[in-house]
Amino acid sequence: MESSSKDPSSEGDQPEDEGMTGSEPSKISRLLRTEFDAKYQIVNLQTPLNAFMSGHYKQSFAFFTLRSRLPVILTNVIDTLTRDKSELVAQFASHEFSQAAREELKIIIGLISRLKYELQTDKSFQNFTGEEPDKEVWNNFISSLPDGERSFYRASSLHAECYLHRKLHSFLENSVFLKSYDFFAKVKEQALTDSIDDVLALTKYTRRSENEVEVFDELLRINMWSNCNDLATDTVKQTNRQVLEKVSATDEHVLVNQAAEIWRCLENPKLKKQKQVDFILDNAGYELFSDFILAEFMIEKGLANKVRFHVKAHPWFVNDVTERDFKWTLEYLSQHADYIISLIGKKFLQFIDEGKFELAPISHFWTSPHSFYSMAQMDPNLYSSLQQSKLVVFKGELNYRKLLQDVCWMPTQELSTCLRGFLPSNICVLRRVKSEVMSGLPDGVGQALSRKDPRWMVSGSYGVIQFVDGTREFGY
Ligand SMILES: O=P(O)(O)OC[C@H]1O[C@](O)(CO)[C@@H](O)[C@@H]1O
């Protein structure tokens, strides 16, 4: 979820008509583009079927992300550091060390600028050489990449984006003063405070007692649509509140809805003993709140006796939830001046005390570059802990890309095939579609959408609620 992904043209960072923006190129930008493409061997194609998503393909969202979105994220971080310098120094260093902290901030700004330059000039990925706890995993990964796939535009875009966010955090964790700073903490807090009216509306909307599949289905749709608060608002047609006003109005945009199968899985009497559900979280703010609401329903209706939440080990893709965000959100809600909001916040805190909600042990696997099919090998403990689960809920786009290895599958390919054997338990996916990575579409749907709206795969206006049944594999 990347709320810093504003229109790049407003930043003066990139030519307005690069990649997927679709406007008429001006002479200068055409010239620049040709030079850039030639220099970095960019081909003017869409991502071929079964290839990895990559900035190598000019007509892909990956190219647009690398060329236009990621530089803006880095620029925004630099701007924030520059603007908040004095505040940060006061917060993280005692008076006697304030000069040293200022110097360190300057160095960090320099490192981020260099990272941006490396991104924009397609430089090779560099090893991690500091105190990163997952250094070995990352360095092994970098050296395992073939020579021609070790740079931003040559690698799969999943690898390039993960590398960029991992490097960005390494500048802080290797610092003296700013180790516990999160570049995006304010953005994430604001994502919740700005949507507090939506939080209240969702709380009121969901105080019902029915236990039917229809209510559950509606909650899944509300939750799936909440995976939007990272997007620039111009691309998102439905706001949180519009979704609540009439959930069914968005149904045409739900391309796959397997809510009934997910419900059957949770109600399955054969799974009575196994009543833990795992959420692999995505974004902070309203999305996290709506995750809590979905989890609350599962607990209260007896569909689960525990929901375990998996957060990121460190700041990641701007808005992803870390342990700090998770705890901050619960505290913020429980202390809110509005009685209803504070009541629900306190209820969630009580769920934590009672073991009904649980923060899963922190795993660096979620912030590794690896796709999920390699989890059993890379992090066997995490894999076996998910095997204890009745249902694993994967939230959002990045998790989807990691489930599908960031491959441009034929959109009609079964999700179970695309997982390449990753099936620790039953799997559910709630995701707004924000890239060309897709599976499980009925025949003809993709073609019809492409005729209607060529940007349907990247606009975030469509979503999927998908399910893969793990029971056949594991013979429950
Ligand atoms: O917050 P989400 O849903 O994971 O979306 C973020 C992802 O979507 C994209 O913006 C488009 O694929 C990526 O850059 C990023 O991986």
Side-chain angles (χ1 to χ4, degrees):
M1 158 52 43
E2 292 164 5
S3 58
S4 303
S5 55
K6 293 187 262 175
D7 177 356
S9 57
S10 63
E11 299 288 318
D13 241 325
Q14 300 294 337
E16 198 176 338
D17 50 13
E18 288 274 17
M20 309 262 315
T21 51
S23 56
E24 258 318 290
S26 70
K27 258 192 191 156
I28 293 179
S29 65
R30 209 162 34 211
L31 198 67
L32 281 176
R33 190 168 60 187
T34 316
E35 275 179 19
F36 184 86
D37 297 354
K39 196 162 175 188
Y40 303 113
Q41 291 145 41
I42 309 296
V43 294
N44 194 8
L45 294 175
Q46 293 184 344
T47 318
L49 218 50
N50 299 326
F52 290 111
M53 298 294 160
S54 166
H56 183 56
Y57 306 110
K58 188 172 192 113
Q59 295 177 40
S60 67
F61 196 66
F63 177 85
F64 178 62
T65 293
L66 288 167
R67 187 83 174 115
S68 299
R69 297 173 63 232
L70 295 181
V72 173
I73 288 173
L74 296 180
T75 304
N76 287 344
V77 172
I78 293 171
D79 289 350
T80 307
L81 289 181
T82 312
R83 193 193 55 222
D84 298 346
K85 202 184 277 171
S86 304
E87 189 189 317
L88 290 171
V89 167
Q91 187 182 345
F92 290 100
S94 60
H95 186 63
E96 52 177 330
F97 292 113
S98 60
Q99 190 48 33
R102 271 179 193 281
E103 290 302 321
E104 187 171 67
L105 255 176
K106 235 193 266 170
I107 293 170
I108 291 173
I109 290 174
L111 290 170
I112 302 170
S113 302
R114 194 169 77 191
L115 182 62
K116 183 174 159 189
Y117 165 78
E118 288 170 356
L119 161 68
Q120 291 178 314
T121 52
D122 193 28
K123 294 287 182 284
S124 289
F125 300 154
Q126 304 292 311
N127 275 350
F128 290 80
T129 55
E131 293 171 14
E132 304 85 2
D134 51 348
K135 177 165 76 178
E136 209 183 313
V137 169
W138 268 95
N139 290 347
N140 288 342
F141 162 74
I142 291 172
S143 49
S144 74
L145 289 173
D147 275 350
E149 291 172 29
R150 207 177 290 161
S151 65
F152 286 95
Y153 283 83
R154 310 290 294 178
S156 91
S157 63
L158 175 69
H159 294 158
E161 284 183 77
C162 289
Y163 170 81
L164 181 124
H165 284 281
R166 185 66 194 85
K167 268 283 158 185
L168 191 56
H169 178 64
S170 75
F171 303 149
L172 294 181
E173 69 192 329
N174 290 313
S175 74
V176 175
F177 297 103
L178 294 170
K179 278 192 193 306
S180 60
Y181 176 55
D182 175 349
F183 294 123
F184 308 111
K186 275 192 184 167
V187 173
K188 288 183 277 191
E189 288 175 11
Q190 210 180 332
L192 185 66
T193 53
D194 283 358
S195 60
I196 206 69
D197 293 345
D198 301 340
V199 163
L200 182 59
L202 180 58
T203 309
K204 288 181 179 164
Y205 189 79
T206 50
R207 299 306 93 192
R208 295 173 291 174
S209 59
E210 305 99 288
N211 190 13
E212 298 94 20
V213 59
E214 289 78 22
V215 176
F216 180 65
D217 182 349
E218 194 176 73
L219 272 183
L220 289 180
R221 279 175 287 151
I222 291 169
N223 186 285
M224 181 273 287
W225 289 125
S226 76
N227 173 233
C228 73
N229 297 280
D230 56 324
L231 292 169
T233 43
D234 57 336
T235 59
V236 180
K237 303 285 181 290
Q238 318 92 331
T239 62
N240 301 326
R241 202 73 66 78
Q242 280 164 338
V243 170
L244 284 189
E245 271 157 22
K246 195 166 193 311
V247 183
S248 60
T250 59
D251 285 356
E252 209 189 301
H253 286 228
V254 185
L255 302 178
V256 181
N257 186 350
Q258 297 184 290
E261 281 98 316
I262 301 167
W263 172 261
R264 269 201 297 279
C265 157
L266 287 172
E267 280 230 305
N268 186 348
K270 288 197 197 139
L271 299 178
K272 270 268 165 348
K273 271 190 270 150
Q274 197 180 15
K275 291 193 83 171
Q276 175 181 309
V277 170
D278 283 69
F279 274 54
I280 317 304
L281 293 176
D282 187 8
N283 301 305
Y286 180 77
E287 182 170 349
L288 176 60
F289 181 74
S290 96
D291 294 334
F292 288 146
I293 291 285
L294 180 58
E296 178 202 24
F297 181 87
M298 290 178 179
I299 297 282
E300 299 223 303
K301 305 301 173 193
L303 302 169
N305 57 15
K306 174 184 288 198
V307 176
R308 287 201 321 165
F309 296 95
H310 296 255
V311 298
K312 302 300 187 296
H314 54 72
W316 189 242
F317 280 67
V318 183
N319 299 62
D320 279 40
V321 181
T322 61
E323 181 174 357
R324 192 208 77 96
D325 305 324
F326 185 90
K327 291 179 174 163
W328 180 89
T329 302
L330 291 173
E331 282 307 317
Y332 176 82
L333 294 171
S334 65
Q335 288 168 24
H336 199 274
D338 184 286
Y339 178 67
I340 295 177
I341 296 174
S342 84
L343 215 57
I344 191 100
K346 288 189 178 106
K347 180 174 181 186
F348 294 159
L349 278 177
Q350 195 183 334
F351 275 10
I352 299 259
D353 286 344
E354 294 167 353
K356 292 175 178 163
F357 279 7
E358 190 178 285
L359 195 56
I362 304 295
S363 167
H364 283 272
F365 183 77
W366 305 121
T367 45
S368 78
H370 296 292
S371 289
F372 295 157
Y373 79 93
S374 63
M375 184 191 289
Q377 190 201 341
M378 301 300 302
D379 193 341
N381 289 340
L382 178 62
Y383 191 83
S384 57
S385 83
L386 294 184
Q387 285 182 306
Q388 310 310 312
S389 194
K390 191 180 193 182
L391 178 72
V392 187
V393 181
F394 287 91
K395 291 294 318 289
E397 171 73 13
L398 180 61
N399 280 327
Y400 199 83
R401 289 171 63 192
K402 286 191 161 188
L403 284 167
L404 274 72
Q405 311 96 44
D406 217 22
V407 164
C408 184
W409 294 90
M410 177 93 89
T412 49
Q413 188 60 264
E414 299 259 342
L415 173 56
S416 56
T417 307
C418 301
L419 296 176
R420 287 187 57 191
F422 175 71
L423 201 58
S425 180
N426 300 299
I427 282 181
C428 152
V429 176
L430 304 171
R431 169 232 186 186
R432 276 199 191 226
V433 183
K434 301 172 200 164
S435 76
E436 303 93 332
V437 179
M438 177 54 91
S439 70
L441 282 195
D443 275 341
V445 169
Q447 290 91 324
L449 283 167
S450 297
R451 281 192 296 274
K452 196 165 116 191
D453 172 8
R455 298 189 75 254
W456 71 273
M457 287 182 127
V458 300
S459 65
S461 304
Y462 294 88
V464 291
I465 297 171
Q466 288 173 294
F467 176 71
V468 180
D469 184 349
T471 56
R472 273 171 297 163
E473 292 288 312
F474 293 95
Y476 292 132

